[in-house]
Amino acid sequence: MASIKRYRYRAYPTKGQAHALSCLYGCCRFVYNRFVAVRETMFKVGGRMPTFTQLARDLTQSKNDPDTSWLKTVSAVPLQQSLRHARTAYDNYFAWKKGDRKGPEVGKPTFKTRRGTQSAEFTLNSRFKLEHEPGCKWAFLTLPKVGRVKLRWTRDLPTVPKTVTVIRRPCGRYEASFTTITTSRITPKALHAEAGVDIGLLSLGVVRRSDGTCEAIENPRFLKNSERRLRHLDRELARKRKGSRNYEKARTRRARAYQKVKDTRLDYLTKTARRLIDENQAIALETLSITGLAKTRLGKSVLDAGWGTLIRLVTQMGREAGRDIRRISRWYASTQTCCVCHVKDKPKPLNIREWDCPNCGARLDRDANAAVNIMLAAGLAESLNACGGDVNRKLAMPAATSTPMKQEPSETIPLH
Ligand SMILES: [Zn+2]
């Protein structure tokens, strides 16, 4: 199955190139924001929205206008792409409003600012050139009207890239992100047939498999662990005079610290998701309302754990690898139901880790019981149902999972 994949490399532009990129970002932002402004005005006065072709023609004209002739100083392709991105942003927003688009809420496009992550996209039309000598640790990306930018080459691209986006993060880091069309990688033969994952905070997830093995995935709480340092940097920034050179320096230091947290988290989640996919043929997950949970008292911890990202990565990688990924309804009471006799009990406060089922008397471990229920609700582990409650009883028993294990991730703990 062919799919579009991104490959990112760190870029090291020279001072002059960084300046050229800065101008380019400014122009892209201008084009994008003008699209949003036109759209909003038209909406207010009830006029007809100009078509994309009209807007593109408009863009060409504004290059001859003395007020906006600076648009000529940068490559034309990223500007057209910005226009396209703005259009797509509105298309997605309206599709979501109408209900044609599934998934999480799509917000209304907003103006781009100087402060966030900056990006400019070049397509093949722009004739960007990528040079890399086999085995060399550096590569060179030649961009029109920017120059030959040095890249740190960390892995080879599978095919010739279709587009490249040059990104500047708030911490001052540059990246070149290439899109390629690739066929999926070869996934190893799965070790386990079916697994249910109960996502949580104490451990990021408890994986219960139909063959009786279980595993707790550690929740490293990246944000929480660096909170002291981040607070210190926040205070330092507050002391500086806005707009001063020292303010800029403190802002960059703070942005770099936050970026570090983000990078470490994404790296951990990617590796975890990859391992889940490689090891299990079928995976059942809950559908969680992350935006809803983020507003609660546990919000910070929920976002720090990265549940949403984990679910997204497992789903995407699983689809690519041809694994069977199933999601169960968010209304299903996986914690309250007993997985042996399927009788629903009262809600349980978070501090209760184990209990006896009031109906059948089975000893249940909170996370293990939930994971088995998720597997059953997803229609996985039919064999479990066929064997009757006995297997379920063993699977849901408080075992090694009652405390999260700090273990090498690839180890599994047999139950018997
Ligand atoms: Zn029961």
Side-chain angles (χ1 to χ4, degrees):
M1 199 175 76
S3 56
I4 296 174
K5 265 212 151 135
R6 279 195 176 275
Y7 282 72
R8 271 193 300 168
Y9 303 88
R10 184 113 183 231
Y12 296 90
T14 61
K15 257 200 174 146
Q17 289 166 352
H19 178 73
L21 281 171
S22 197
C23 296
L24 177 62
Y25 292 142
C27 292
C28 284
R29 238 169 25 230
F30 173 79
V31 170
Y32 188 97
N33 288 347
R34 197 162 62 168
F35 185 104
V36 176
V38 169
R39 178 97 239 187
E40 292 310 303
T41 327
M42 284 305 164
F43 180 72
K44 256 180 221 143
V45 300
R48 259 182 76 82
M49 183 58 201
T51 62
F52 183 75
T53 336
Q54 276 169 337
L55 283 162
R57 207 180 302 135
D58 203 39
L59 174 64
T60 320
Q61 268 164 15
S62 30
K63 288 183 187 173
N64 297 323
D65 185 339
D67 284 342
T68 48
S69 60
W70 37 265
L71 286 171
K72 262 195 288 199
T73 58
V74 301
S75 169
V77 174
L79 301 182
Q80 281 159 17
Q81 289 306 101
S82 284
L83 216 52
R84 278 205 184 95
H85 294 160
R87 182 182 58 171
T88 314
Y90 272 103
D91 287 350
N92 290 345
Y93 168 65
F94 287 119
W96 189 84
K97 272 207 115 174
K98 265 194 259 161
D100 295 342
R101 187 189 161 97
K102 297 276 166 286
E105 180 179 346
V106 178
K108 200 168 175 195
T110 50
F111 292 119
K112 286 193 187 295
T113 72
R114 215 150 41 80
R115 282 176 198 87
T117 298
Q118 306 292 316
S119 65
E121 188 182 45
F122 292 85
T123 60
L124 281 177
N125 286 338
S126 73
R127 300 212 174 78
F128 69 83
K129 199 169 87 189
L130 181 64
E131 300 157 85
H132 176 248
E133 296 281 329
C136 182
K137 114 186 215 206
W138 300 101
F140 290 93
L141 171 67
T142 311
L143 297 170
K145 298 192 181 174
V146 174
R148 203 159 166 262
V149 183
K150 201 157 95 168
L151 305 184
R152 175 73 177 85
W153 203 250
T154 41
R155 52 175 176 168
D156 283 330
L157 284 170
T159 53
V160 177
K162 295 286 241 193
T163 68
V164 59
T165 306
V166 191
I167 302 163
R168 190 182 70 206
R169 304 267 173 218
C171 61
R173 186 170 80 191
Y174 288 87
E175 291 164 13
S177 168
F178 295 93
T179 51
T180 57
I181 294 180
T182 51
T183 45
S184 49
R185 82 195 251 283
I186 296 154
T187 314
K189 200 173 174 308
L191 298 165
H192 312 277
E194 297 119 357
V197 184
D198 176 42
I199 290 175
L201 285 176
L202 197 60
S203 52
L204 182 55
V206 170
V207 187
R208 247 322 135 121
R209 308 192 188 88
S210 55
D211 55 12
T213 53
C214 78
E215 185 195 329
I217 303 165
E218 200 191 325
N219 179 7
R221 295 166 202 261
F222 296 106
L223 182 68
K224 195 161 192 322
N225 288 338
S226 40
E227 225 167 21
R228 265 185 61 153
R229 185 174 149 68
L230 292 173
R231 259 210 305 276
H232 169 78
L233 290 170
D234 281 343
R235 271 202 302 273
E236 208 162 66
L237 183 66
R239 275 202 297 271
K240 304 279 186 280
R241 190 165 43 84
K242 230 177 171 172
S244 70
R245 241 180 115 56
N246 282 330
Y247 179 88
E248 251 339 277
K249 275 191 217 157
R251 197 193 56 80
T252 313
R253 259 201 304 277
R254 179 172 168 271
R256 212 180 291 145
Y258 273 100
Q259 186 72 46
K260 175 103 191 157
V261 172
K262 232 167 126 181
D263 289 346
T264 331
R265 186 192 292 131
L266 184 64
D267 178 66
Y268 178 75
L269 293 174
T270 312
K271 284 173 181 161
T272 307
R274 172 55 66 203
R275 200 164 50 76
L276 280 172
I277 294 300
D278 283 353
E279 289 178 0
N280 306 292
Q281 184 57 45
I283 299 173
L285 293 162
E286 284 163 286
T287 308
L288 296 160
S289 162
I290 312 283
T291 31
L293 281 162
K295 286 174 192 148
T296 65
R297 197 169 48 86
L298 288 171
K300 211 173 185 181
S301 310
V302 168
L303 294 177
D304 191 16
W307 289 353
T309 314
L310 183 69
I311 294 174
R312 181 172 57 82
L313 288 171
V314 167
T315 316
Q316 273 174 7
M317 287 180 182
R319 202 175 298 142
E320 252 174 55
R323 302 292 207 221
D324 183 6
I325 308 293
R326 301 194 190 179
R327 307 276 295 269
I328 64 156
S329 152
R330 76 166 84 153
W331 307 118
Y332 178 67
S334 60
T335 314
Q336 297 165 37
T337 311
C338 163
C339 73
V340 183
C341 64
H342 311 299
V343 168
K344 194 176 151 186
D345 194 18
K346 298 184 293 295
K348 307 263 181 310
L350 269 171
N351 56 352
I352 295 182
R353 309 304 310 168
E354 300 174 7
W355 63 85
D356 295 317
C357 169
N359 184 46
C360 70
R363 187 85 183 144
L364 302 171
D365 172 77
R366 183 188 189 94
D367 299 325
N369 177 52
V372 174
N373 274 329
I374 289 166
M375 231 189 318
L376 293 172
L380 290 178
E382 288 303 330
S383 52
L384 287 187
N385 277 337
C387 301
D390 256 15
V391 183
N392 293 4
R393 197 190 309 266
K394 269 187 201 143
L395 283 175
M397 254 189 338
T401 43
S402 37
T403 49
M405 292 165 286
K406 295 223 167 180
Q407 50 145 349
E408 252 324 281
S410 54
E411 274 175 29
T412 54
I413 307 240
L415 268 176
H416 312 291

